[in-house]
Amino acid sequence: MISPKFPSTFWSYEPILELVGKKALMPPLGLITVAALLPDTWTCRLVDCNVRPVTEEEWAWAEIVLLSGMIVQKPYLLELVAEAKRRHKPVVVGGPYATALPDELREAGVDFLVLDEAELSLPPFLEALARGDVGGTFTAGGERPEVTTTPAPRFDLLDLGAYDSMSVQFSRGCPFNCEFCDIIVLYGRRPRTKQPAQVLAEMDRLHQLGWRGTIFMVDDNFVGNHKAAKELLRELIGWQAARGFPFQFDTEASIDLAQDTELLDLMVAARFRSVFLGIETPDAASLERTFKHQNLRQPLLEAVDAITGSGIRVMAGFILGFDGEAAGAGDRIVAFVERTGIPTAFVSMLQALPGTALWDRLTREGRLRDAGTASGNQTYLANFIPTRPLSEVAGEFVGAFERLYEPEAYLDRTWRYCLALGATRRVAPPVQGVALSTRELVKTLPALLRILWRQGLVRHTRWRFWRYLASVIRRNPGALTEYFTVCALNEHFLVFRQLVRHSLELQLAAVHAGGPSAIGPEPVVAPRPASAETCVSGGASA
Ligand code: SF4
């Protein structure tokens, strides 16, 4: 089993992984779940290319090669397919990319395509293999499995020390209907949840294997079913308390979380540390157009403040390029982020992903660009012709990104946010604050020293860093770990914003050379702020 590399993205965090001495952010949960579904008679070896390359010995040993990946991993996955075929190995591919674009993989020479969710499509593949078939495509036939029968992933196949976080999945699917979203296409609108006992068994396994620290609940929407999430959290709190709270959690959720105080309190008590919210835009008209109605039920500022006040750090996604969007959307996003203080704001241009309602509509309207190439990468231009000039949207995107991650602005926002973070955190037993156990301290000390070195000595913002650190210690010591975490992220964003600008400029030049890029007149490229790069140790990486 081979997991392809990820390109450099907003979420790849390479400089931070270096700071904390890790190789990759999270393990390939899909592949280790498939490994648990394979017959006991199979011997599996797993190589995550984000950790290390496949050795010659491993290539020679393998009788069959199984690959899985997302669209964003496509180039690396195709390289692995070519390498396996060069070595005359049968190749099996599953996962989101294969499910969305199987023809590309057929053309690449893949032997077996195991599409949709493996609980249903893997058994017919295994039967075909046992019959002696040498190829085929296997699907779930439009069905979706209950995840109550999904076995615990084979965490034992992982090199645990290589990862910053572990991943655990509680649910699949989301009840909402955002036009651009491929989650509801792949996993449906009825959230399917595991039983609490199943999730706790996975926690037990990770605990036995020696994992301590962060677990990312990789659900599409952890609160897609509030009732089921609460049932899990009640059990999880007891499990954590009985073991001295060995884990802390990050996750993704829809913004209706903010209106359910009981759910928020349970998440805080279970030690959820941060949550990613798809805010998308502060423009109500765009939210209406993209059918993100759940973001209109409560003022967005109020919702973010409620989650921040509970003690859970908000990370948020924003999108530019919705149909009918008025000029200045980038400025409005920056103003929203500054007002809420959200340190980690992920901005991208709208992408149409295969199979989504957006993709279908744009296809009907003849607006997909480059035959509708979808990269899934935020450093790419919109893959369709927007209703305002593409270069105007791109200019706002680059400008917003540069302003949000201008070092002084980022530190100012981080400081304000840490002071606002969580009354709960201040009154609850400090889990992530100053009260670290000796074991945790020993583990985190090298990373902490490296952060202090980079942020407190090397960067030109060092005095601001120390001033804010003193202020957080004095005024909200429970937020200290978050302050260090968010400052460490700055190491990545400093570099990544250069990559965004460079990548978008190259793509825009190509578009200008090749044809129309908007419905309407094409203006000159919107001016972007002068680079305020301050990274002493170097410029952009690619
Ligand atoms: S809330 Fe998130 S996961 Fe759910 S449909 Fe919208 S974008 Fe998709």
Side-chain angles (χ1 to χ4, degrees):
M1 307 187 109
I2 312 176
S3 182
K5 276 177 70 168
F6 279 92
S8 194
T9 70
F10 184 87
W11 300 113
S12 55
Y13 289 167
E14 294 93 337
I16 297 148
L17 293 172
E18 187 197 323
L19 274 182
V20 296
K22 302 289 180 183
K23 295 275 177 54
L25 211 55
M26 278 184 279
L29 187 67
L31 275 177
I32 57 172
T33 303
V34 169
L37 289 162
L38 290 173
D40 293 342
T41 48
W42 285 42
T43 307
C44 292
R45 291 197 200 172
L46 174 83
V47 179
D48 181 352
C49 293
N50 297 286
V51 173
R52 67 169 179 86
V54 188
T55 65
E56 278 301 320
E57 187 273 328
E58 285 163 335
W59 277 118
W61 170 85
E63 292 173 9
I64 188 164
V65 176
L66 289 90
L67 303 167
S68 175
M70 297 192 273
I71 290 176
V72 74
Q73 292 166 282
K74 172 167 134 177
Y76 302 105
L77 192 148
L78 291 174
E79 274 175 23
L80 289 167
V81 171
E83 186 59 27
K85 295 311 297 175
R86 192 178 70 78
R87 294 165 184 268
H88 309 293
K89 307 282 179 183
V91 180
V92 189
V93 185
Y97 167 44
T99 300
L101 297 163
D103 289 341
E104 291 188 4
L105 288 161
R106 278 191 201 100
E107 278 168 30
V110 167
D111 303 287
F112 297 95
L113 284 167
V114 182
L115 311 180
D116 305 326
E117 292 175 68
E119 286 87 348
L120 296 179
S121 53
L122 199 69
F125 155 69
L126 293 171
E127 284 164 21
L129 203 62
R131 279 197 305 269
D133 291 4
V134 292
T137 299
F138 307 89
T139 70
E143 300 292 312
R144 293 205 167 89
E146 290 304 330
V147 287
T148 45
T149 54
T150 302
R154 290 277 312 273
F155 293 114
D156 58 293
L157 292 175
L158 301 171
D159 172 7
L160 292 184
Y163 296 98
D164 183 63
S165 306
M166 275 298 112
S167 353
V168 168
Q169 186 179 52
F170 166 55
S171 69
R172 292 182 201 162
C174 174
F176 297 113
N177 196 23
C178 307
E179 189 189 31
F180 55 85
C181 179
D182 63 340
I183 291 299
I184 47 181
V185 178
L186 290 167
Y187 303 112
R189 291 188 57 200
R190 181 176 67 83
R192 289 165 289 139
T193 56
K194 290 180 181 170
Q195 299 290 342
Q198 267 179 291
V199 177
L200 296 190
E202 295 185 26
M203 301 290 162
D204 279 336
R205 188 70 187 120
L206 282 169
H207 195 255
Q208 283 160 6
L209 289 168
W211 181 258
R212 300 292 182 274
T214 305
I215 292 179
F216 203 108
M217 283 285 189
V218 295
D219 296 28
D220 312 311
N221 179 0
F222 180 70
V223 303
N225 179 335
H226 286 219
K227 184 167 169 284
K230 287 177 191 175
E231 283 167 11
L232 169 69
L233 289 166
R234 287 191 192 99
E235 304 262 338
L236 188 55
I237 292 165
W239 187 95
Q240 284 265 72
R243 290 158 186 80
F245 293 93
F247 301 146
Q248 58 194 19
F249 300 95
D250 300 327
T251 194
E252 303 179 327
S254 47
I255 205 159
D256 55 307
L257 166 66
Q259 291 170 291
D260 192 334
T261 311
E262 184 190 11
L263 184 51
L264 268 176
D265 289 346
L266 287 168
M267 286 175 71
V268 170
R271 304 303 189 240
F272 274 71
R273 182 186 65 167
S274 69
V275 63
F276 178 86
L277 303 175
I279 291 175
E280 323 307 5
T281 171
D283 294 351
S286 293
L287 291 170
E288 285 278 1
R289 265 179 187 254
T290 200
F291 304 114
K292 194 134 194 164
H293 302 298
Q294 68 273 24
N295 283 24
L296 293 162
R297 289 184 198 147
Q298 181 185 16
L300 289 170
L301 290 172
E302 207 176 88
V304 173
D305 287 349
I307 298 173
T308 303
S310 78
I312 297 176
R313 175 165 61 87
V314 171
M315 303 177 281
F318 295 90
I319 294 176
L320 282 154
F322 290 110
D323 276 9
E325 184 175 79
D331 290 342
R332 295 190 290 279
I333 288 172
V334 172
F336 182 91
V337 173
E338 285 297 332
R339 157 61 187 80
T340 54
I342 298 170
T344 314
F346 160 53
V347 186
S348 62
M349 288 180 76
L350 185 59
Q351 297 281 335
L353 294 173
T356 58
L358 177 66
W359 175 278
D360 292 344
R361 179 169 67 79
L362 293 173
T363 304
R364 283 196 304 275
E365 294 171 4
R367 291 170 56 195
L368 288 176
R369 291 194 308 115
D370 302 333
T373 315
S375 72
N377 194 329
Q378 324 61 55
T379 58
Y380 276 55
L381 287 175
N383 61 340
F384 63 94
I385 301 171
T387 54
R388 61 183 175 127
L390 185 64
S391 55
E392 183 181 302
V393 186
E396 288 188 14
F397 167 40
V398 173
F401 208 92
E402 294 221 343
R403 282 156 62 197
L404 288 173
Y405 294 101
E406 191 275 322
E408 284 86 356
Y410 183 79
L411 270 181
D412 290 353
R413 205 162 71 235
T414 299
W415 170 66
R416 280 188 280 114
Y417 195 81
C418 285
L419 294 188
L421 190 62
T424 314
R425 202 176 279 268
R426 285 195 289 269
V427 295
V431 176
Q432 300 155 11
V434 287
L436 291 172
S437 69
T438 310
R439 176 190 164 130
E440 285 166 328
L441 196 61
V442 168
K443 263 177 63 185
T444 52
L445 196 59
L448 185 61
L449 290 175
R450 281 193 284 262
I451 294 166
L452 290 174
W453 164 257
R454 291 276 186 89
Q455 290 283 312
L457 291 170
V458 175
R459 303 278 171 222
H460 83 284
T461 46
R462 52 191 167 273
W463 294 118
R464 202 176 286 241
F465 168 84
W466 289 111
R467 199 165 66 243
Y468 290 159
L469 175 60
S471 169
V472 172
I473 290 172
R474 194 161 33 85
R475 295 169 62 182
N476 190 9
L480 191 56
T481 302
E482 293 305 309
Y483 179 73
F484 283 125
T485 302
V486 174
C487 285
L489 296 178
N490 198 17
E491 295 292 327
H492 172 56
F493 298 138
L494 277 170
V495 175
F496 189 70
R497 64 184 191 145
Q498 299 291 86
L499 176 63
V500 167
R501 175 162 52 82
H502 185 65
S503 170
L504 276 251
E505 283 175 353
L506 284 178
Q507 291 170 70
L508 272 178
V511 169
H512 283 145
S517 64
I519 297 176
E522 175 70 3
V524 293
V525 176
R528 74 181 156 68
S531 169
E533 181 55 61
T534 54
C535 175
V536 173
S537 59
S541 77

